[in-house]
Amino acid sequence: MTGSTPGDPRAARTRARLRTALLEECAERPLEEVGVAALVRRAGVGRATFYVHYDSLEALATDACADVVREAVEALHAWRGRPDPVQAPPALREFFAGLAPHAALYRTLLTPGGGGPLGLVLHRDLRARSLAERELAGAADAPLVASAVAATFAGVLADWLHGLLPAADSDEVADQVWQLLVALHMSR
């Protein structure tokens, strides 16, 4: 984002309108085919207003998809106690099942292997949350395991969205990624 004031409610409303318009546009066509003119027309704002808030359509798209990052981080940390090493918690299953409506946009922003602008945000936020929880628990090698968890999750998610994994459905991939993450946490 560029020069808007973070706490300004008008700016927040404008960004919300732009995010909604982008998601609606991307439901009709790939991000690469979305133009700023059509987007601002749908959002009911001026072109200059768009550039006050975002440097590019990719920056807006990443912001619009940031909720998926927050949902992923929360889904991975929604359990308490001793985790079932085989079945993913319900929140993680729900997360994977809920990706379908915007999967094409996520694929654009999350490249195979977990890269791309959305992958960077996902990795950063998931690593920070995992690191904080591991340090709070006094776990060994907290930075190493937090990095491995973030990289594993982002990579598996991206590869599944791109059809590079044989997982048949969202529940199956949720269980598989969960088993990997539990193994990482148990390894140290």
Side-chain angles (χ1 to χ4, degrees), residues 39-50:
L39 176 76
V40 297
R41 195 170 30 257
R42 185 179 286 243
V45 302
R47 189 178 189 95
T49 299
F50 170 82

Side-chain angles (χ1 to χ4, degrees), residues 26 31 36 95 99 106 118 133 144 164-165 168 174 183-184:
C26 287
L31 178 62
V36 173
F95 167 76
L99 293 173
Y106 301 147
L118 191 58
E133 290 200 4
L144 175 69
L164 300 175
L165 298 179
L184 283 171

Side-chain angles (χ1 to χ4, degrees), residues 117-133:
L118 191 58
L120 295 174
V121 173
L122 177 59
H123 187 276
R124 180 197 67 214
D125 291 0
L126 184 53
R127 185 184 186 284
R129 176 76 178 266
S130 294
L131 180 61
E133 290 200 4

